[in-house]
Amino acid sequence: MAKQDKSLFRPDLVFFDMSCTDEWDFFKQLEAKLAPMGYIQDNWYEGITTREKKYPTGLRCPSIEVAIPHADPEYIKKPYIAVIVPKEPINFRHMAEVDDPVDAQLIMNLGVVRDGGQVEVLQTLMNIFADDDKVADVMAQKTPEGMVATITKYFE
């Protein structure tokens, strides 16, 4: 990940204890947070849910279940990466096995706009999620500032 991309992680984009009924409710609630901050276009919800239906983003990693939903660049006003630790895991369809849902304990919503940016960020995140110690460190964070500091240190 390019060094400047670390700036996409910001404390105001870290959300703890969101309570959602499902992934669609999650996207509605996230839209309500991101829109007033000027990160997303008015049609973001339609764009991200359409993409999620076609290309599910739930992943089962060694020590955590995650979701990494992302919207296509035309739905983004300014680049961001939102980090969400929901109150209870949120059910997302598995990326490869759509009939075997994932209970996402951590959601990383990518609003990356440059070509290849999503793939690069996904690869870096997968390296974090594959390491039990890094996952434990990330999940131990209780403040937005701590979360940003912890995640960005693993992007070296």
Side-chain angles (χ1 to χ4, degrees):
M1 180 174 195
K3 221 165 190 37
Q4 67 271 21
D5 286 345
K6 286 184 180 187
S7 68
L8 299 180
F9 291 100
R10 300 169 36 97
D12 64 332
L13 293 168
V14 177
F15 307 105
F16 292 97
D17 295 329
M18 281 178 70
S19 207
C20 306
T21 56
D22 58 25
E23 62 194 311
W24 317 118
D25 180 42
F26 166 77
F27 290 128
K28 266 292 180 208
Q29 289 188 41
L30 188 59
E31 175 187 43
K33 293 177 182 302
L34 297 177
M37 293 190 281
Y39 285 103
I40 58 174
Q41 300 288 351
D42 292 340
N43 57 352
W44 177 88
Y45 178 82
E46 181 183 333
I48 199 163
T49 55
T50 298
R51 184 166 180 38
E52 189 70 24
K53 288 172 188 171
K54 285 173 90 171
Y55 307 106
T57 59
L59 292 168
R60 198 167 282 109
C61 300
S63 61
I64 191 169
E65 293 187 9
V66 300
I68 312 173
H70 39 284
D72 292 322
E74 65 263 24
Y75 301 108
I76 308 300
K77 282 186 181 176
K78 60 183 180 182
Y80 70 91
I81 298 176
V83 180
I84 302 94
V85 180
K87 185 173 185 118
E88 299 291 329
I90 300 170
N91 190 274
F92 276 79
R93 290 182 315 141
H94 191 282
M95 186 179 285
E97 304 163 21
V98 293
D99 294 329
D100 187 18
V102 168
D103 290 325
Q105 301 155 274
L106 177 68
I107 302 151
M108 307 286 275
N109 172 230
L110 308 183
V112 180
V113 295
R114 64 182 175 83
D115 289 341
Q118 290 177 343
V119 172
E120 196 174 313
V121 171
L122 286 168
Q123 289 171 336
T124 305
L125 290 173
M126 292 308 298
N127 288 337
I128 294 171
F129 300 145
D131 184 308
D132 293 348
D133 292 334
K134 290 177 182 175
V135 168
D137 194 10
V138 167
M139 294 306 288
Q141 301 311 308
K142 301 299 178 207
T143 67
E145 295 78 13
M147 182 64 79
V148 168
T150 301
I151 290 174
T152 57
K153 78 179 173 185
Y154 296 126
F155 274 87
E156 293 298 331

